[in-house]
Structure formats: C-alpha cells, structure tokens
Amino acid sequence: MDELLKAFKRRMKIFHTAEDEALLAILSASVEDLKVKCGQFDVASHERARELIMERSRYVYNDKLEEFDANFLSQIQSLQFELYEVIEDGTTTY
C-alpha cells in the first residue's frame, strides 16, 4: 500500500506527510470498493485496477465521489469482464 500511496501523492502533487493516514484510508476504501464491484485482483500487479483505484481516490479527495461511477462506468465494466471467470463445472467466480 505504501507504493500506491507514493504514486497517488505524486499524481496529486502532495509533498507533505500530514495527510498520509487519511490518504491511506481513501486508497484502502477505493481498493475494497473496486474489489466488491469487479472481483478480486492483485493491486501491485494489475495496472488497470490500480488506475481505477487512483481515479476513485482522486474523486474522494476532491469530494466528488458521487460522480465517479458515472464517469468511469465503462472502465469499471471492462474490469468486471476481465476479472470474471467461468470455471469448468459451469459455476462462476469473481
């Protein structure tokens, strides 16, 4: 999560540590929200998921979360389809 925090701070041009705890909470909530919506993924290695985490966190940081889902619907759906798997016995898993 530290690497994600560093990347988010670079993107947002935040150079102090005063908000680190709050930013980690925002990032963590974004990870969990996207896992619930899209399925399980590895944050460290899944670039598209990381990008959505960063964007959702940016919206939260700027107090615009209510606009995120509508603005990123196609990317969220694309990630859902990518993470969706059908196993051999016909059941599905996320």
Side-chain angles (χ1 to χ4, degrees):
M1 198 58 113
D2 287 335
E3 288 302 314
L4 192 58
L5 175 62
K6 289 176 189 176
F8 184 70
K9 287 174 72 172
R10 275 192 308 273
R11 177 179 281 192
M12 298 297 294
K13 296 177 178 46
I14 300 171
F15 303 108
H16 56 80
T17 59
E19 294 181 280
D20 283 6
E21 189 175 321
L23 295 175
L24 280 170
I26 289 170
L27 290 163
S28 180
S30 293
V31 169
E32 291 307 310
D33 180 68
L34 288 168
K35 284 184 175 184
V36 166
K37 289 177 180 164
C38 301
Q40 294 298 312
F41 54 83
D42 179 28
V43 175
S45 64
H46 202 289
E47 192 60 37
R48 288 175 8 109
R50 283 175 59 95
E51 183 63 27
L52 279 172
I53 291 165
M54 300 281 265
E55 290 298 338
R56 183 186 183 279
S57 297
R58 180 174 64 88
Y59 273 64
V60 171
Y61 186 79
N62 289 310
D63 200 25
K64 295 289 184 181
L65 180 59
E66 66 278 0
E67 298 173 13
F68 173 76
D69 286 339
N71 290 343
F72 287 87
L73 181 60
S74 64
Q75 291 92 330
I76 293 168
Q77 289 174 331
S78 177
L79 183 60
Q80 288 171 333
F81 288 129
E82 182 180 328
L83 296 174
Y84 181 81
E85 296 176 7
V86 177
I87 8 184
E88 290 179 0
D89 66 0
T91 60
T92 57
T93 184
Y94 293 90

